[in-house]
Structures are given as C-alpha cells and as structure tokens.
Amino acid sequence: MALMAAAVLAVSSFSGVAKAEVEVVDVDGAASEPEIYEPLVPPEGSESFVFEAEVSRMLDIVVNSLYQNKDVFLRELISNASDALDKVRYLGITHPEWLADKPDLEVKIEYDEDNKTLTVTDSGIGMTHDDLVKNLGTVARSGTTKFVEAMKDGQGDMNMIGKFGVGFYSSFLVATRVRVASKHPEADTQYIWESGNGDSAFHIYEDPRGDSLGRGTEITLFLKDDANEYLQAQKLKTLATHYSEFVTHPIQLRTTTKKMVPVETDEEDEEPEGEEGEELEVGEDEDEEEEEPEMEEVTTYSWEQVNTNKPLWTRDKDEITDDEYQDFFKAISKDYNDAAAWSHFDAEGNINFKALLYLPSELPEYLRYNLGPPESTGLNLYVRKVLISDSFDLLPRYLAFMKGVVDSNDLPLNVNRETVQESKIIKVIQKKLVRKAIDMMRRLAEVEIDDEKEVELDEEGNIIEPDDLEVPDEPKEHPYIKWYKKFGTSLKMGCLDDSVNRDKLMKLLRYKTSKKHGEHDWTSLQQYVDNMPEWQKEIFYFAGDKIDDAESSHFMDKFKSKGVEVLYLTDPVDEYMFTNIDGFKDFKFMSITKEDIKFKDGDEDLELRREKFYKKKFEPLTKFLKKSFGSSVTKVVVSSRLERAPAMMSSTKYSHSANMEKIMKAQAFQHGAEDDARNKAMRVFEINPRHPFITSLLDMVPSDEEKVDDTTRDAIWLLHDVALLNSGFTISNTKNFSKRMTRVLKHQLNLESLALHDEIDPPEEEEEADEFDADAFGGMNMEDLNIDLDFGGVDDLD
C-alpha cells in the first residue's frame, strides 16, 4: 500500500509529450523548419528543487514495474492535455479573455529525428511557477483531482480523464530527460521545468524563448537510444488513434517529408555568352543535350488530424442514421462488411455507462480457422473516451465475436490505468452487457420479412400481367438465419457455459428437422414443442455428419410413418450440449439412436401384448446372438420400432451414441481415447421380428451351439456388421470382416476352392517393325527418298 500511495502523484492539469523544437510559422500559417532549443544544462539563475522522497520512489516504480507496455506514455500525455483543454474551456466562460488570443483548443504532436525528441503541445490552461513546483515535485497533487473537487458544487458534469497523477512520469519510460514549458493565462512569464531520468532534483527557470506558447503546456521528451521507433509518423499515428481516437479535442500530428527538387538558379547565369557578350551560335549538327539539373533535398512539414472519428455512443441514438452506425462499426472493427445488428443504450443506476454493441455479419478469422481466442476481445473499454483496454473480458467467451465500445466514468482503474480492478461494478457491467447482447439477437430473430412480390397495377387497380414468363423468386432468407448459420456454434457453447442465461440462449437456437415449416426449414425449440402431439414427452433428435444421413437412416422409419418430428443435429457441439443439458422447459432431449424408444399414440395394452409375445418367441435367437457376439454388444433385444431394416445397433440410454463415439475418438489432444471405455458406446443389437431375415435365422438356431455351421455363423455376423454400419458405428475388427465377406462371395459364386490358377506361359511372338523405323532405311540418304526440298527464293514464299 505504501508503494501504491507513493504512485498517486498529480499532474493531470497539463498535457503533453516532448518538444525539443520551437515552431516557426510563416505568414501563410504553414509550419516551417523548427528552431532547436536544447540546453544541456539549466541556465544560470535557475532554481533547483529536490524531489520529495515519495516522488523518487514513485519514479522508480513507474519506470521499472508499474507499466507493462511503454506505448501508453503517449496516451497519458494526451489525456493530460485533454484535461488541460477542458479546464480552460470551462474557465473561459468566466474569463473569455483567456480564449480570445488563442481560441483553438487542440493537441499537437511533433517529432525531430535529428535531435531524437518528441513533443506534445496543448493550448490548455497551462501552469504557473508554483504549479510546476507543486504538481511535478510533490506527491498527491493531482491538478485534475483538485479541480474536479472544486467544481462539485457549481459544475457536477465535468469529465476529467486524469485521476492518479502518475501519467506524466510515464514519459521516463522512453526518455532520458523531460522538459516542460508552460504558460498560464494569468502569469506574465513562461517557465520551464526540467529533470532527467534518475535525477533526484528538478530545475525551474524562465523560458529564454519568452512567451512562445501564449497559453498552454509543451512537453519535450529526449528519447532513449532504444526508443527511436517513436520518431516515426506511422507509429505515432497508430498509438494516438488506438488510445485517443475519440478524445474530444483535435489531435494534430506533424509529419515530415523529404524529397529531392531542382536547385533554383538565376537565368542570367545560365545563358552562354561569347567573348564580347554575344550569344554563342550552336551548329545544326551539334546535339543539344539538356544537362541534368542540380538537385537538393528539401524537408516539408504538414499537419494531420489523427482523431477524425467521433464518439458515436455519446450522441442521442434518435439522431444517428443507420449509415452512421455502419460506418462507426467499420471504423472500430476494421471490418469491410456491414454489421448484422446493433444495440445502443445508456445504463443508469448504481453504475452509469454508455455502450454500443454490434453483431458482425461475417465470422472473425479466429473462429473461421479455429485459431484460439483473439488477443483483442473486440469490445473496447473507454473511460471518458480514452481507451483503457481492448482485451478486458467484459463479455463471456461465447460472445467474444461481438464488437463495440463501453464507456464509463465510474470504473475503478488500477494506478497505471492499463487494467480495471475486479469489483462489483465490473460484474454489474458484464451482466448488463450480456443481457443486452442476447436481447439484440432475440430482436433480430423476430424481424418480419416480406416475401410477397410487388405487383404492378393499372389505373383501375387491376394487376398488370407481365408479358414475359418469369421464374418465381426463391423465398428470402431471414436475416437471423443468415447470421445464425455462421455464429450458431457460439450460442450453443453459451448454452453449455452460461447457466444463468441458458433458457434465453436456447430460444435462439435453430435446427433443420424432418418436417418443413412453411417456406423456411429452420425450427426453434419453442416451435418444435408447440407442434408436438399430446402424448409426446421428449424432444427427439438425430445426430450425424449431414442431413442426408438422417434422412436415410433406418432409425427414422417409425418416426416418418407416425409423423413425429425429429431434430437434425449436424454440428459437433450439438450433441455435447443436448447430453449435458436437462432439456428445454419440461421436455427431455432423446436421441432416436438410443434404446427403449416408445410411441404412446396407440393401444398401449396391445403393444405390451405384442412385446411379450415377440420376446418369448425370439428368446432362443436373442440368447444365441448374444452368446455369439460376446462383448461386442451389451444385449440383444426385440425391437418394436424397426420397419425396413432387419436389425440396427442402438446404444444404451446413458452411454454415448455412435456419433458421439466418433467425436470422442477424433479429439486431437485426448490421451488414451482408444482404450478408455468411457469413450465407447454400450451397444444394443435390436432385431426386427417382422423381417424375413430374422424369422429365417430363428429357424436356423441349433439346439447345440457346437453344431452351428460356418454359413449360419457368417450370416449372423454379416447381419451384425451391416447393422453396425447402418447405425453409424465403425467395424473394429476389419480382418475378420474381410474373411467373412470372402467366404460369402465364395458361396455366392459356387466356388469349390480359392486356390489360385497356375501361371500361364504364353508363346513368343515376332515383333513387327515400326513403319518408319530408322533401321528400315538402311543407308539411304535424303536424295534416295526423292523429296524435293528446294523451296526456291524467299519471294516464292509469298
């Protein structure tokens, strides 16, 4: 706590970065080459002050451990500058003369590659001699904090960025020496504060340049040898845009351009003359070669505003157009596509904040290529329009694809303002953002679209039939379905992770089913439940790789004949979710590939009598099959749901399905998946008592198992393998399967033996000579071939 208290220094009353040059402006207002003023030692007559002990300790903390990223020094200096501008704008109401001579309120950033300096200048309130001593040499003297406290009674909505006062000292992360020039509008003299990194004292003296600022503060950083990257215009622009893009006041960056131009010379000196001043005559045959002009390097300067984007979230949403919302989304997300939807709201209560959330229309790269969580969460956290973090987890993992901004004046920041303290306030913000995000998706899902085609009417109101034959347009795809196809997997992960909002998220899920609802074949769980018959108590689903697998599966036969709707799960995460969630509302999820599927739409007494009859009739076969199959199946039962198939392989109620078994085996980083029994389904062999294959096998069952012939044994195993494949499982012992299939083919082709025939010994054949074999010409030359190669002269080729 002592170290942290030592870090609470106040310097928010001015802004800045470094400046080692005096700007000279010509009559036209263009910036000309600066005049360098860089005394190595303070001039005579300067005052020396020793830092308080706490300040010295605080400086060591700032440079060595407080900031994790030294880039933030520019953010801190710009934030201080913004505070100074806010102060003078407010105080200018009662002191208009302060703004009369210098009405522009802006921040300027300059760099000098030759002198290795970086300068930040603001036209804010500035500081007097005493302010420099108090604010830059004493602990807990934050000008901003004191100013806000003083304004509490008269101006309650003053929004100052500065708080801790250590921001200025972040300059020593990149500088060996810092010089601060400041001029307060009530002071007659412009003063300079100067100190070096590691010095125990600072110096204050009158600025020998006089009143060069008029009003404001100029901070010059003399950069370290390893900080030359901050002498590049692109680097400075990137940092200023990243951290301070939405600061209220303009931030101007002076860029330097060097180019080669011809040297200007007097025309009289260029004219060649004779001995008596006469012009020399040049002969006609002489080449008049223009000499290359002499070139020189010229440096030009220009100003560029780097914070052109406005903080849209601070405006009234009724005044913002859709195009403005879309442009802002592209600016903060660096995405060229339009957003699918957005939510702009102000949260008021115990915690006040503004937020603007966007649903992107295209998958981010990390989701498309499964690259892991991104470094940036996509949700930027601002405090009074200054970026604090773009990686703070304000949204849960399953909503990390969302873009937007959150801005609050009440966030509890750490002393370095790089992170946000964990607190109840943060949890309140997180909870509110998640609710708003889910509500935004719900509203998108409820959007009504008009599929009706517009028709042309005549003067009497009759429909004008088109002359040309027109093909009916495809029904419009709902905007939510278009979005859900890309981001649905994230919502399903949310159903697993977010138990608090699970019910809301499950209402947003959409599935294709065995039935088509209207023109759109996507169904919500609520629609499914609403369409269920009264006797149905479960939500049935089939999980597989693709819909065609579900449509052709024998498990679907009974459901199709009875008109019972089945959800098709083709996303790998679907079955994870359905097996780990109790259900939707009062209905459990049930895979149709599991055992003990019952249809209670008929005479239950009749079904019970049939079940008992078939069980008793086929008991010899079921016992024989279970003994023959051994551990490959858990049990053999007589099925009441099979129609076309003679047999199918289901799984027990609480074990994995065939689809889940494949998913578990495919886990790239799962150790021992093949040997872990928990990853394997407990298989149930179901036989169809009405199928001819099964009734024939019942007749083939011997009283003594030792008397079973190979044909019968191959038949039952072939039935086993076919059922295994049709049910989505894989054959584990492919060698035995190959042997059985070979025996079946041998029997089908009526072969006595599979012994190979003897090798043949074909007679030798004389080789026929090629028509144009070179040996056929013997010693003939071109003349012997009687080929006329005389093409005549070149003209004959015309």
Side-chain angles (χ1 to χ4, degrees), residues 231-247:
L231 297 174
Q232 302 174 11
Q234 186 58 46
K235 176 69 173 180
L236 296 172
K237 181 179 179 180
T238 299
L239 291 180
T241 303
H242 180 67
Y243 288 112
S244 309
E245 183 177 12
F246 301 109
V247 167

Side-chain angles (χ1 to χ4, degrees), residues 102 254 283 307 751:
K102 197 170 185 178
R254 197 185 74 164
N307 60 334
L751 299 177

Side-chain angles (χ1 to χ4, degrees), residues 615-661:
K615 181 178 181 181
K616 183 176 181 180
K617 177 182 178 180
F618 289 91
E619 185 175 4
L621 179 60
T622 55
K623 289 183 177 180
F624 173 71
L625 293 178
K626 177 62 180 78
K627 193 169 185 179
S628 300
F629 297 152
S631 60
S632 65
V633 299
T634 303
K635 56 184 174 179
V636 179
V637 299
V638 178
S639 177
S640 61
R641 59 169 167 167
L642 295 181
E643 293 189 353
R644 292 179 300 160
M648 291 293 284
M649 193 76 72
S650 62
S651 53
T652 59
K653 188 175 182 179
Y654 297 106
S655 72
H656 293 314
S657 65
N659 182 67
M660 183 59 73
E661 183 180 277

Side-chain angles (χ1 to χ4, degrees), residues 758-787:
D758 295 335
E759 289 279 6
I760 62 172
D761 186 11
E764 296 182 1
E765 297 180 3
E766 295 183 0
E767 296 182 0
E768 296 182 1
D770 294 338
E771 185 176 355
F772 294 102
D773 196 337
D775 296 336
F777 292 101
M780 289 191 296
N781 53 31
M782 297 303 292
E783 288 79 3
D784 296 331
L785 295 177
N786 195 23
I787 299 177

Side-chain angles (χ1 to χ4, degrees), residues 500-780:
V500 174
N501 296 292
R502 179 174 296 158
D503 292 341
K504 296 179 181 178
L505 290 170
M506 292 188 71
K507 292 180 181 180
L508 297 173
L509 303 181
R510 298 293 184 269
Y511 292 98
K512 289 193 174 183
T513 74
S514 56
K515 290 185 178 180
K516 188 173 183 180
H517 297 270
E519 294 180 345
H520 306 288
D521 54 354
W522 290 85
T523 303
S524 67
L525 294 177
Q526 185 62 54
Q527 287 175 309
Y528 181 95
V529 169
D530 292 341
N531 295 326
M532 286 170 40
E534 293 183 4
W535 61 264
Q536 187 177 340
K537 302 303 179 184
E538 296 90 6
I539 298 176
F540 295 112
Y541 68 87
F542 179 92
D545 294 332
K546 50 185 179 294
I547 293 178
D548 291 342
D549 294 341
E551 292 284 357
S552 60
S553 174
H554 292 299
F555 286 120
M556 286 292 301
D557 292 347
K558 199 74 169 181
F559 291 89
K560 289 180 179 179
S561 64
K562 288 185 173 292
V564 178
E565 188 172 15
V566 177
L567 300 176
Y568 294 155
L569 311 187
T570 56
D571 192 342
V573 74
D574 283 329
E575 199 167 9
Y576 271 120
M577 182 187 68
F578 275 33
T579 54
N580 285 279
I581 295 177
D582 292 337
F584 178 72
K585 294 191 173 179
D586 297 328
F587 301 95
K588 301 292 185 180
F589 295 118
M590 175 66 73
S591 171
I592 67 172
T593 63
K594 296 293 183 72
E595 65 169 337
D596 200 26
I597 297 293
K598 301 293 184 182
F599 297 91
K600 300 180 181 180
D601 59 336
D603 189 341
E604 295 187 15
D605 292 335
L606 177 60
E607 292 295 332
L608 184 59
R609 291 198 304 271
R610 284 176 181 169
E611 183 178 340
K612 290 182 178 179
F613 175 79
Y614 285 135
K615 181 178 181 181
K616 183 176 181 180
K617 177 182 178 180
F618 289 91
E619 185 175 4
L621 179 60
T622 55
K623 289 183 177 180
F624 173 71
L625 293 178
K626 177 62 180 78
K627 193 169 185 179
S628 300
F629 297 152
S631 60
S632 65
V633 299
T634 303
K635 56 184 174 179
V636 179
V637 299
V638 178
S639 177
S640 61
R641 59 169 167 167
L642 295 181
E643 293 189 353
R644 292 179 300 160
M648 291 293 284
M649 193 76 72
S650 62
S651 53
T652 59
K653 188 175 182 179
Y654 297 106
S655 72
H656 293 314
S657 65
N659 182 67
M660 183 59 73
E661 183 180 277
K662 287 190 295 185
I663 293 175
M664 298 296 288
K665 288 182 178 180
Q667 298 300 313
F669 202 67
Q670 186 168 359
H671 296 42
E674 287 289 340
D675 301 326
D676 193 345
R678 292 173 297 178
N679 296 331
K680 297 179 180 180
M682 299 177 67
R683 302 168 185 178
V684 178
F685 190 74
E686 296 187 22
I687 60 175
N688 186 351
R690 300 165 56 201
H691 201 282
F693 284 0
I694 302 302
T695 55
S696 297
L697 281 177
L698 179 61
D699 297 335
M700 297 170 63
V701 174
S703 58
D704 187 356
E705 187 180 355
E706 295 180 357
K707 296 180 180 180
V708 178
D709 56 16
D710 291 339
T711 302
T712 303
R713 196 174 299 278
D714 285 342
I716 63 173
W717 273 102
L718 186 59
L719 188 67
H720 171 277
D721 295 338
V722 171
L724 203 67
L725 294 174
N726 285 337
S727 303
F729 292 98
T730 57
I731 297 175
S732 57
N733 195 332
T734 57
K735 185 176 181 180
N736 289 341
F737 173 76
S738 178
K739 290 180 178 179
R740 286 193 294 271
M741 291 304 298
T742 302
R743 289 195 296 267
V744 170
L745 287 174
K746 174 186 174 183
H747 177 73
Q748 188 70 23
L749 297 175
N750 295 319
L751 299 177
E752 296 293 336
S753 173
L754 296 181
L756 299 179
H757 295 290
D758 295 335
E759 289 279 6
I760 62 172
D761 186 11
E764 296 182 1
E765 297 180 3
E766 295 183 0
E767 296 182 0
E768 296 182 1
D770 294 338
E771 185 176 355
F772 294 102
D773 196 337
D775 296 336
F777 292 101
M780 289 191 296

Side-chain angles (χ1 to χ4, degrees), residues 16-31:
V17 177
K19 182 167 188 176
E21 47 190 36
V22 181
E23 179 186 359
V24 180
V25 181
D26 59 19
V27 177
D28 295 331

Side-chain angles (χ1 to χ4, degrees), residues 271-282:
E271 296 179 356
E273 297 182 354
E275 293 181 358
E276 298 180 359
E278 298 180 356
E279 295 183 1
L280 294 177
E281 296 183 359
V282 181

